[in-house]
Amino acid sequence: MRNFSARADLHLHSKASNLPGGWFSKLIGCPESYAEPIEIYRRLKQRGMTFVTITDHNTIEGVLEIAHLPDVFISCEYTVEFPDEEAKVHVIAYGISEKQHEDLTKLRQNIYEFTAYLKHHRIAHTLAHPLYSVQGTKITKRLVEKMALLFDNWEVINGTRGNGVRHIEESIARTYSNWDTIRELEEKYKIKALRSREFISFTAGSDDHGGMDVGRTWTQVEGAKSLEEFLEGIREGRTQVDTERLGEERLINMITRVGYEHIKRRYHIPLEVKPFLDHIFMYSDNPLVAAGINYFLGVDVDRTQLVKKLMENLPFLAWERFLKRRSLRELAELALSLPFYAFPVFVKYAQKREEKKIKTLAKEFGISTQRTTKVAYFTDTYKEVNGVARTAQIMRKIALEEDMPFYFVVSSQEEFKEENLISLKAHLELPVPFYEELRMGVPSLMEVIDFLEEGEFTGVHISTPGPLGIMAFLAGKILGLRTTIAFHTDIPTYARVYTGDTDLENILWKTFVILANNSDRCFVPSEHYRSILISKGANPSKLSIFRRGVDTELFSPYRRQEDFWSQKLGKKVKRVILYVGRVAKEKNLDALFYVARCFPEETFVVVGGGPYRKELEERKPKNVHLVGYIRGEELAKAYASSYLFLFPSETETYAQVVLEAMACGLPAVVSSKGASHEHVEDGLNGFIATKKEDFVDRVGMLLYDEGLRNKMSAEALEKAKSLDMRKTYLDYMQAIAGMGRLAYENR
């Protein structure tokens, strides 16, 4: 038969903790708690606590209000000073009398006398949140070792702190769980140990000040059937600790509930919103109001998550209202929603900043905080037809085949989850200017943070600087993860080409430089763009060049089909000069048209789609054919069945299509601007042109000299084969994860 397990939340506060909790609450005269003791008692019992206590700061007034109720014991959280250090800690004493409280209050200035009193009177106690600073105390190894000399119980789960340092606190406690080590510390600090037993055991509590999350973290003692047996279990170290989900929502609940109560006491809450706010902050429990809130949010969540979820959704709800009415009132509502949206992010940042300090301290104890590598690869485009999406698709395929810890993340209103491909819910989708095929999903920033934290990711890679990419970058920095970015697309130049606005171009370059300099590594696909980024202010030590190979099994001269283009175009075709890529202004397709007019007997084919297609259809030469998108094996046949590749784009960051053409045996004529020319050795496997007349001259040389064309074809094929696709992508993925290096890593 299983033993009875008694449990209690051993760290929580009521209205008796009535001092301000920080500079802002002091400024507005707001205490750190308004929670009524009787409300706390009822909620603790509802949540299955066997015994009930309240641990207010240096007072027992709150718990005395419910001391007459069944299963209640008196406790207090004391701020205690080290007389030999500029340091304070929090110590919680359990099951005390009013007289003992008076005595302990007088001893708070000397932790050694204070702890000796607890030991002498056999008072159960614990050291609260041992590695977190109390009133500006600097936590050092020296201070922690003195704590280890004094306390047999450490609180290792604190509901307001998150779960990020539990492992560290437990590891340090176990380090000092033997008498030999304790004796060494006595000799080291010339302090007599006050430990009662060899090992340090653990306690847990919600540390809740608002009343909403009490009883969600607890300490239990097996077999304790009475309060005295429970307290004896704490004294003897027979405790076990457990908790519901830990997260920033507890601090959010606590701060906002205290704030709501503060406002209620000073101002009038409109009757239209009061029932909803009272339900959200657990002052009432109306099923109809609950249903209305869930309908309004479009989600059904636990009440402990409701405040956070409401803050996450407010801007999107306000945006929808603004689009419907477009009035100043809705615009003001949208502006007011943004601070609420940002609040959970700031809370999470504050928690992670504290964790970072503790992880730094852990190194002094030789405790590793490293986790198994796991990378989240964020892309605003995956299923569309473009180079960025193709790169993500190839990397996902390799990750699956090689069992690499990469997970590919998009944001879409379409819900799906495939193996290592995750879609975060898009609260709205934004069209991409001049890129009609692509709509970028906008998730909630906190949902991105939660996804990374709950998934225990160690790295974040941003392949596109769209809404999802920017949020992933911020989330990675907030969580302290390895954060890398890729410069795939020359967005600043595109912006200038389409708008003519050089100021916008400069702003976008500055944005990219900020991202590069604040990342752990920025990957650029060519030396050309590495030089540009450096000239714009990027730190050279942050930049690495990643070169991608080409699939020479898919793209091969053996894919050639003699009548491919004749069938495709519906007429007899002898030779095809091919272009593959987006049909857009930045691709310099006017140069292709110029060349086509110079060779009216030849056939020019443009493969791809984009915002410029309609305009080009209206003014293209007769010998130019725009055939739209071609994919996969058919695209490989299109390359291999052509005569040469003409690519006049001046804004390419890598030009994967040039390599694909070369792998199919096509010599390429490319622009000297951008990065396309880095694949081409001028005069050996293709030509590099500077102006449109150069394109005409080089294309003519290849058309009229078949021997030259065939020689360049063979060299182009060798160049493509030298870049093994699998190896280049594996190297790139290892560099993203921090497990390998690429060229120009620290040039």
Side-chain angles (χ1 to χ4, degrees), residues 451-567:
F451 166 76
L452 291 171
E453 187 169 41
E454 291 169 9
E456 297 184 340
F457 287 92
T458 60
V460 172
H461 180 72
I462 293 89
S463 68
T464 48
L468 177 64
I470 296 298
M471 287 184 178
F473 187 88
L474 292 172
K477 302 305 289 185
I478 287 168
L479 295 174
L481 307 180
R482 175 178 169 82
T483 305
T484 60
I485 65 169
F487 183 86
H488 277 291
T489 308
D490 187 351
I491 294 174
T493 302
Y494 287 6
R496 174 178 51 77
V497 168
Y498 283 108
T499 67
D501 190 339
T502 56
D503 290 335
L504 176 60
E505 179 186 23
N506 291 332
I507 289 170
L508 290 172
W509 276 120
K510 288 177 182 177
T511 301
F512 270 109
V513 167
I514 290 170
L515 290 172
N517 289 343
N518 286 280
S519 66
D520 289 281
R521 183 67 56 192
C522 176
F523 297 98
V524 293
S526 61
E527 177 59 44
H528 175 76
Y529 275 95
R530 181 178 183 275
S531 299
I532 289 178
L533 280 168
I534 291 172
S535 72
K536 300 293 184 182
N539 182 345
S541 68
K542 294 280 188 176
L543 305 178
S544 298
I545 293 179
F546 70 98
R547 301 190 188 280
R548 291 158 286 166
V550 62
D551 185 350
T552 53
E553 291 185 8
L554 175 61
F555 298 103
S556 164
Y558 297 108
R559 300 284 183 181
R560 181 175 176 79
Q561 186 176 310
E562 287 297 330
D563 61 347
F564 177 85
W565 284 116
S566 296
Q567 291 183 13

Side-chain angles (χ1 to χ4, degrees), residues 188-205:
K188 180 178 180 179
Y189 295 111
K190 309 303 179 188
I191 296 172
K192 179 175 174 55
L194 296 176
R195 293 273 293 276
S196 302
R197 49 182 148 82
E198 187 175 30
F199 64 93
I200 294 174
S201 59
F202 307 131
T203 65

